[in-house]
Structure formats: C-alpha cells, structure tokens
Amino acid sequence: LLLGRRYNRQKNTRGGDRKSKGQNATLIDTAELLAKEHGVDAKTVKRAGKFAESVEKAKAIDPAIEAKVSAGKAPPRAAVVKAAALLEKAPERAKEIIDSGKTMAEVLREEKKAEKERIKNEAVEKLSEAEAESFGITHCSLTEWDAPQCQLVFTDPPYHDKHVDRFRELGQFAMKHLEAGRFLCTYTGKLRMADCISAVLEAGLEWVWIFSVYHPFSKEKHLGGVYNIAENWRPVLVFRKPGPVWTPTFQQDVVRGERSKSHHDWSQDEQTPEQLIQAYTSPGDTVLDPFCGGGTTPLVAKRVGRKCFACDVDIAAVAMATDRLRGN
C-alpha cells in the first residue's frame, strides 16, 4: 500500500515518464526507479499503485479497509482491485467480494459463472421454441425426438459415470436414423470409455476408429484420480451402421482444437466437427446432433453446406444454441 501510494504520488508529480532537458536526454520511468530502490521489478510497483488506488475506492464500501490492510487482515490484493473495479456498476457484488476474503482465482471463477448465468437467463427469456425449430433445434430428449433420416450423427453426450446409458440410447438412435453404411461420431470421456464403446456396440453398430482432439491449452492435471494424469486430448469415437460401404475422404486422426466455452460450459471446438462432418458427409447431406449443447454442430454443419437438426433436453442449451444461430 505504501509503495503504491509513493509510486502514484511521484508519477503524478512528474506527469508520468518524462525526458530531462539537454542533448543527452534520458527517459525517466518512475516504476523503474522505485523498483531498483525497493529490490522488486517495475510490474510489482505498478501493481502496488493499482492496489493503492483500489484501497482508496474501497473505502466507500469498507471505511476500515486501510486499517485492515495495515494490520494484514484485508482480503487478497487482487480481490480488492476487482471490488474497486465493480464499485460503480455492481456495488453489492463489490461489497460481497471485500467481505468474503476470497482469493482472486475464486472471485474470477464466481464472476465468470455469474456472467454465464446472466447470459443464459437472457437467452431463455427471449427463446421462442418455434424460432428454435426454424433453426432445426428441438427441446426434447433423443428418445422423444422425431428426427429425420441422416447421413451422419455427430454429437457430444454427457459422459460422467452416471451417463453411460446415454451412449446406449445414442447407439439405438443411430441405428434407427442413420442410413445404412453411414457413421456416428461421438465425443466421450476417458475413464469410462470402454463402457461407452460397449454400450454403443450393443445396438449393432460397427467399431471404426478413435480420433484424438489435441487441446494444447488444457490445464487439467487430475484425470485418473490417484494416477495424476494430465489431460491434453479428447477422444472422438467413430462407429458405422452396417450396410453398403461409404468411403469418407482421407483425413488425419488428430485434430488440434481451440478453446471454446463461450456458449456452453461443456462446448467443444469448431475444428473437430468441421473436419469430421466434411469427411463423413457430402454437401447437402443431413447431420443429426441429439445433444446439441451450445449449438456448435448445427453452426458448423450449416457453415460447410450441410443440413443439421439437433435436440437437447436442457431448455437453456436450446436457448443458447438458438441465440448463437441468430448470429449472436
């Protein structure tokens, strides 16, 4: 706090960085000067300045914040900064952050979750199921869905332990709606992958392959429980309905995905459906997605010239997918 105040005071006195007079002028940086004096780097000094400003603002929420900082009893530095930034537009939330004593990581997670809930609720409020149907999206489960025949099923079911039965239903759905000789592509988790494969095969589909969606951005480090395995790829299982051979285009079995969680907590990247939809269908073919989530499959399918119909049992997912297909 004291370092930050000193930085802000000297910076304001100098008017920021300035040049001395004369031919041998040098650039004077307040943060650099204080960093050398205090044995820290310039970024630390600037962060301290931001913190000092935030403490001043936070007095409007908690007049004793300065005393708490001095006594080492204040919330984490970053939480104070976040609260100060929210003071005007969300004063109640700012006070909650100050009073909670949570770390910045916890605060940011909560803020992100709250923002997603707000967007989701807005989408549900303006949802017209008739409009969703016009985009080919139906609010129902795959067992209730009166879907048309198709040339590809591409989907992303829930795949925690309790959802293995969804893969059994998915296999039955694919056998009913796929043209003979055509393909089912489905994401899955790893811990119960063998169970999910068996559940799909029970319906009579044939095993084809497994694709790897590489996620270089992944920070997961706890997959496999006590085995401490870092997760950097997602499997996509490929099955085929028995019948006349339909040959897909040649493709690599590794796709490099990009992070995409803006429309659904579990949404996938667009690169994977784009590659597989184009490989396993022809322009004008029909793709079905019985677990549409945030609408990635319908969006990509239509972008590459395929017809797509989708459903989801979650009304919020239908709303988010519809909003996305509107162009938002």
Side-chain angles (χ1 to χ4, degrees):
L1 176 62
L2 297 176
L3 175 61
R5 284 179 172 169
R6 185 178 176 195
Y7 167 65
N8 293 336
R9 184 170 59 252
Q10 292 187 16
K11 178 182 66 173
N12 292 335
T13 300
R14 288 196 173 109
D17 295 336
R18 66 182 176 85
K19 291 183 178 179
S20 58
K21 296 180 181 180
Q23 293 182 346
N24 298 320
T26 57
L27 190 65
I28 298 175
D29 187 301
T30 304
E32 291 286 353
L33 289 175
L34 288 175
K36 289 179 181 178
E37 182 180 336
H38 290 270
V40 296
D41 60 30
K43 287 184 179 179
T44 298
V45 175
K46 291 177 180 178
R47 281 197 298 267
K50 182 72 173 177
F51 177 62
E53 291 176 353
S54 299
V55 168
E56 288 301 312
K57 292 180 181 178
K59 287 180 180 178
I61 309 169
D62 182 359
I65 187 70
E66 185 177 340
K68 290 178 181 178
V69 170
S70 300
K73 297 179 181 179
R77 176 195 61 81
V80 176
V81 174
K82 183 66 177 177
L86 288 169
L87 190 58
E88 291 186 8
K89 64 178 182 180
E92 292 182 3
R93 178 65 181 138
K95 186 176 189 317
E96 185 181 334
I97 291 171
I98 287 289
D99 293 340
S100 69
K102 293 178 180 176
T103 66
M104 190 55 175
E106 292 171 327
V107 169
L108 289 177
R109 278 197 296 270
E110 289 181 359
E111 286 298 305
K112 191 178 291 185
K113 184 177 179 180
E115 179 64 11
K116 284 184 177 180
E117 282 299 312
R118 184 189 65 77
I119 293 171
K120 185 187 295 184
N121 292 336
E122 285 183 359
V124 171
E125 286 177 7
K126 63 182 179 182
L127 173 68
S128 159
E129 291 197 28
E131 183 189 16
E133 291 275 5
S134 72
F135 287 117
I137 304 174
T138 303
H139 176 217
C140 67
S141 69
L142 81 166
T143 56
E144 303 167 323
W145 190 23
D146 183 22
Q149 291 297 108
C150 68
Q151 287 73 47
L152 174 67
V153 176
F154 186 97
T155 195
D156 182 20
Y159 33 79
H160 295 297
D161 293 2
K162 62 182 180 180
H163 293 304
V164 173
D165 281 345
R166 302 291 80 76
F167 285 84
R168 190 168 288 106
E169 295 168 355
L170 178 59
Q172 296 166 355
F173 176 89
M175 283 295 291
K176 178 180 178 181
H177 296 284
L178 272 175
E179 282 187 2
R182 304 308 283 263
F183 298 85
L184 159 66
C185 300
T186 177
Y187 290 93
T188 186
K190 300 188 188 77
L191 289 175
R192 297 292 175 265
M193 183 162 57
D195 296 334
C196 294
I197 292 172
S198 298
V200 173
L201 292 176
E202 285 177 16
L205 293 167
E206 299 173 349
W207 169 252
V208 175
W209 207 253
I210 181 170
F211 280 76
S212 169
V213 182
Y214 174 48
H215 288 166
F217 50 79
S218 177
K219 296 181 180 177
E220 295 289 346
K221 293 183 171 42
H222 51 75
L223 182 72
V226 297
Y227 300 111
N228 293 324
I229 302 171
E231 183 175 19
N232 283 104
W233 69 284
R234 182 68 45 82
V236 176
L237 311 177
V238 182
F239 303 87
R240 176 180 173 274
K241 181 175 179 178
V245 175
W246 191 91
T247 306
T249 58
F250 183 81
Q251 57 186 315
Q252 300 291 336
D253 63 0
V254 176
V255 184
R256 186 184 178 93
E258 296 179 4
R259 184 182 293 278
S260 176
K261 301 294 181 188
S262 57
H263 295 87
H264 193 268
D265 288 345
W266 303 102
S267 67
Q268 305 291 354
D269 59 89
E270 296 181 12
Q271 291 74 28
T272 306
E274 184 167 335
Q275 174 179 315
L276 296 180
I277 288 172
Q278 292 189 100
Y280 288 112
T281 61
S282 301
D285 280 354
T286 296
V287 179
L288 297 184
D289 180 1
F291 300 95
C292 80
T296 300
T297 299
L299 183 76
V300 171
K302 292 180 180 182
R303 188 167 69 209
V304 297
R306 275 65 167 172
K307 291 175 285 187
C308 186
F309 299 92
C311 77
D312 203 290
V313 71
D314 181 8
I315 189 65
V318 171
M320 294 293 286
T322 302
D323 196 46
R324 191 175 184 184
L325 289 167
R326 288 188 192 108
N328 296 328

